[in-house]
Amino acid sequence: MTGICQHEPMASASASASGAASGAASGAGAGAASGAGAGATGSHGGAGSLAVGTWVVDLDGVIWLAGDPIEGAGAAVGRLQRAGVRVLFATNNAEPTDAELWGRLARAGVTAGADDLVTSAHAAAAMLAPGSTAMSVGGPGVHEALRSRGVRVLSARDDAGVPDAVVVGLTHDFTYDVLRVAATAVRRGARLIGTNDDPTHPTPQGLLPGSGALVAAVATAAEVVPELAGKPYQPMAELVRARAVDVTVVVGDRPATDGVLAQRLGVPYALVRSGVVRSGDPAGSDAEFDYVDLAALVDAVVGP
Ligand SMILES: [Mg+2]
């Protein structure tokens, strides 16, 4: 019933590059922890080699934290763009509409082209054919993406009929009845698509439950393995490739999503410690570059 696309984290990145990066990254972690913001390089050369092409940049924990701009991030994006680097924002946050995300970007001092934003809601919608039906267990961003795709959206309180898919994303409107209706639709034959499986998302108050917790609830109740759309899974990788053929690096605060997406795209990963991973934490990944935040990374690439 379900075409499973839940991929294991990729192990295809070159072992030698990973090993080299691992050792260097741990050194950089110490630098970042001391506040120096020093970076590391693996087998891909110095940070200056990144000053070309398109950067895929995460939002939560990189540009903002729970919507509040991270100091220096907007200006750093501007410096990159003036140096000729395109910035493509890629977020697993499927809850806001595109307009809401653009508003947050503007408040963070960022301007970018209309094609320079991809979300896990976009990736989930792309997994469905125009004209199909989906029950949305998600926020306005999921509804919007499905409708833009030409998918007919059913409410999660709508017991009538079996949709082609149940699409689950982060929402604050998740009750036992929503879980019951969604799981029943999946048991009756609907695909279960999760926008992403991030267990948490970072806020100034700490880590709060993420979309992955809701997807897991529906998957458990329906006893299926969900298909997953966002970082680091294939639908998001395809969406990024469709928007940019010249990706240079993936920048993000979560190695399990941003770092593994970089592997899938075959490009270096730059860890920034302004979100899930903080200064002094173990990197937990083979990040080729490791900086305290986006501003420090951009300083190293194009100068302050
Ligand atoms: Mg993030």
Side-chain angles (χ1 to χ4, degrees), residues 14-15 24 40 59 64 71 81 94 131-132 144 168 221 258:
S14 104
L59 292 176
W64 56 64
E71 189 175 350
Q81 292 169 326
S132 57
E144 177 184 72
V168 181
D258 305 301

Side-chain angles (χ1 to χ4, degrees), residues 156-249:
R157 290 182 177 78
D158 198 344
D159 277 300
V162 178
D164 295 306
V166 172
V167 180
V168 181
L170 184 61
T171 172
H172 290 73
D173 187 17
F174 189 87
T175 64
Y176 184 86
D177 273 350
V178 169
L179 174 58
R180 173 182 58 79
V181 172
T184 299
V186 174
R187 284 190 177 279
R188 290 176 177 167
R191 295 164 68 187
L192 175 58
I193 296 176
T195 56
N196 59 297
D197 62 354
D198 293 41
T200 59
H201 64 93
T203 76
Q205 290 75 43
L207 298 177
L208 296 183
S211 172
L214 307 186
V215 176
V218 180
T220 300
E223 299 181 272
V224 300
V225 176
E227 302 174 63
L228 293 162
K231 296 180 288 186
Y233 299 100
Q234 193 63 29
M236 179 62 104
E238 289 173 7
L239 206 51
V240 167
R241 286 196 189 102
R243 297 286 180 94
V245 296
D246 59 349
V247 176
T248 314
V249 63

